[in-house]
Amino acid sequence: MGLAYPYAAIVGQDEMKHALLIAAVDPSIGGVLVFGDRGTGKSTAVRSLASLLPPMAVIAGCRYNCDPAAPAMPSLCELCASGGKEKAAKKKVKAPVPVVDLPLGATEDRVVGALDLERALAQGVKAFEPGLLARAHRGFLYIDEVNLLEDHLVDVLLDVAASGENVVEREGLSVRHPARFVLVGSGNPEEGELRPQLLDRFGLSVEVKTPTDIAARVEVVRRRDAFEHDPEGFTEKWQKENARLRRKIVTGRERLKTVEVPEAALERAAQLCIKLGTDGLRGELTLMRTARALAALEGDPVVTDDHLRRIAPSALRHRLRRNPLDDAGSTTRVERAVAELFGA
């Protein structure tokens, strides 16, 4: 595979880049939805994550990237949980965090896994061939044009996202394995809306726009052209800045459990969600988790109003009901509510 474009070299689109970093610090936030114009770096940013993320510890030989420090099922696959592997095979090894593409034309067997036909025909045994969900475990599952995804695949993703486990029962096979991943979707809103059930599963929703500043547009073209002419040299040039971001993610993960979320911050989050009329309590949970991850990423020990204010549009814009009496966009409505609650 060719080199990924360096994450640090992406020009502008700060909200998108920040959201992806926050999701890397705390995957429990629930993923990132990136909507906007074509050709604005959505796919580039997601694929650049692979070169940015620090490697993870896995059990050697496991096809599901099982974590050596995880407890038994459902956090481990059946083989790792049963202890059926030799001790030598259970040693820790480092592996890159997977960033897996789910193409729109993928079949359900390709996504969830199916019978290994080659082994069935050659050896006469029933064996499971893991799918994309297995490859994405503990990493990122990326869906470009997510709003065009077929309904039966949306149903599969909803089930797995809710349980953190993929269950396959077909052709006489009965297999279950862990499948926890950060779901990242991108798309153009002009090409169709996302199903509400899937939309609600994304922790953050960010908007990207074509830059109107001439200097920014020129810099985008200049950097992209330099990368395509000399990928190795361009990547080397940005290696130091990428390494700085990687250290920031690692430090943020370590700080996350120590960041304090005071009662006042929880009350602010609840007040904001009530003011906006969001359904359920997922808005408050996401707002709290995202503000905490933002604080950890920036080295702050306590969640403050400033963290909530900055992250509110990304955490809440996709959770608003349509208001026939208010034709303002969702981002404007969130910003207006934040200004009224926190002060201009």
Side-chain angles (χ1 to χ4, degrees):
M1 291 182 64
L3 290 171
Y5 189 86
Y7 194 87
I10 298 172
V11 178
Q13 309 300 6
D14 292 335
E15 186 187 25
M16 172 180 65
K17 292 191 294 184
H18 218 189
L20 292 172
L21 291 178
I22 287 171
V25 169
D26 185 4
S28 71
I29 285 168
V32 181
L33 178 64
V34 185
F35 257 17
D37 303 332
R38 290 182 291 271
T40 48
K42 301 186 296 291
S43 301
T44 297
V46 177
R47 295 190 173 102
S48 295
L49 271 176
S51 65
L52 184 67
L53 297 170
M56 61 184 185
V58 301
I59 295 176
C62 178
R63 298 191 295 174
Y64 305 101
N65 296 323
C66 281
D67 185 353
M73 292 183 67
S75 298
L76 297 176
C77 69
E78 293 176 337
L79 191 56
C80 291
S82 68
K85 292 186 176 183
E86 298 178 359
K87 289 184 179 180
K90 286 191 174 181
K91 64 181 180 181
K92 296 180 183 179
V93 295
K94 291 289 186 178
V97 175
V99 179
V100 177
D101 280 310
L102 194 161
L104 289 179
T107 63
E108 188 169 333
D109 284 354
R110 181 77 184 92
V111 175
V112 303
L115 179 70
D116 187 337
L117 291 176
E118 185 176 344
R119 289 186 63 185
L121 293 173
Q123 304 173 22
V125 297
K126 290 183 178 179
F128 180 65
E129 178 63 29
L132 297 177
L133 297 182
R135 286 178 50 201
H137 178 50
R138 301 179 62 204
F140 289 74
L141 183 67
Y142 174 53
I143 310 171
D144 195 10
E145 306 295 349
V146 64
N147 45 328
L148 303 181
L149 194 66
E150 296 183 25
D151 284 346
H152 69 281
L153 293 182
V154 172
D155 293 337
V156 168
L157 288 177
L158 288 173
D159 289 342
V160 175
S163 65
E165 189 178 35
N166 181 36
V167 180
V168 182
E169 296 193 359
R170 56 182 65 184
E171 289 101 19
L173 289 171
S174 180
V175 177
R176 60 179 61 226
H177 65 80
R180 292 181 175 84
F181 45 79
V182 177
L183 185 62
V184 181
S186 66
N188 185 343
E190 296 178 358
E191 296 173 352
E193 296 184 349
L194 206 60
R195 271 176 55 179
Q197 299 93 325
L198 184 57
L199 183 65
D200 191 50
R201 283 291 169 185
F202 286 97
L204 302 176
S205 173
V206 299
E207 297 174 345
V208 293
K209 297 178 180 178
T210 303
T212 56
D213 179 66
I214 292 178
R217 295 172 76 110
V218 169
E219 188 62 22
V220 170
V221 174
R222 181 184 291 118
R223 292 187 187 181
R224 189 71 209 190
D225 186 60
F227 174 73
E228 291 176 356
H229 275 80
D230 182 10
E232 292 83 6
F234 187 84
T235 302
E236 179 67 25
K237 177 182 176 182
W238 287 93
Q239 185 174 5
K240 185 179 292 186
E241 187 63 21
N242 252 17
R244 186 189 67 81
L245 288 174
R246 188 179 300 113
R247 289 194 299 270
K248 194 173 181 179
I249 291 173
V250 172
T251 306
R253 289 173 176 176
E254 294 169 352
R255 287 196 192 109
L256 187 63
K257 60 185 71 173
T258 66
V259 173
E260 179 187 352
V261 183
E263 193 72 19
L266 294 175
E267 290 179 3
R268 286 285 208 185
Q271 290 168 358
L272 182 58
C273 289
I274 290 172
K275 193 174 189 65
L276 289 167
T278 59
D279 291 326
L281 297 175
R282 193 166 282 150
E284 282 98 323
L285 283 169
T286 303
L287 193 55
M288 181 271 293
R289 288 171 179 164
T290 308
R292 183 171 58 196
L294 175 60
L297 190 65
E298 298 185 342
D300 298 323
V302 180
V303 171
T304 65
D305 284 356
D306 181 60
H307 298 119
L308 293 170
R309 177 202 297 269
R310 289 161 56 196
I311 209 63
S314 299
L316 299 177
R317 63 162 57 97
H318 57 305
R319 305 182 192 281
L320 305 190
R321 300 175 187 173
R322 283 192 173 87
N323 186 349
L325 302 179
D326 189 350
D327 58 359
S330 57
T331 302
T332 301
R333 290 168 60 190
V334 174
E335 291 174 346
R336 189 167 59 202
V338 167
E340 292 173 0
L341 184 62
F342 294 93

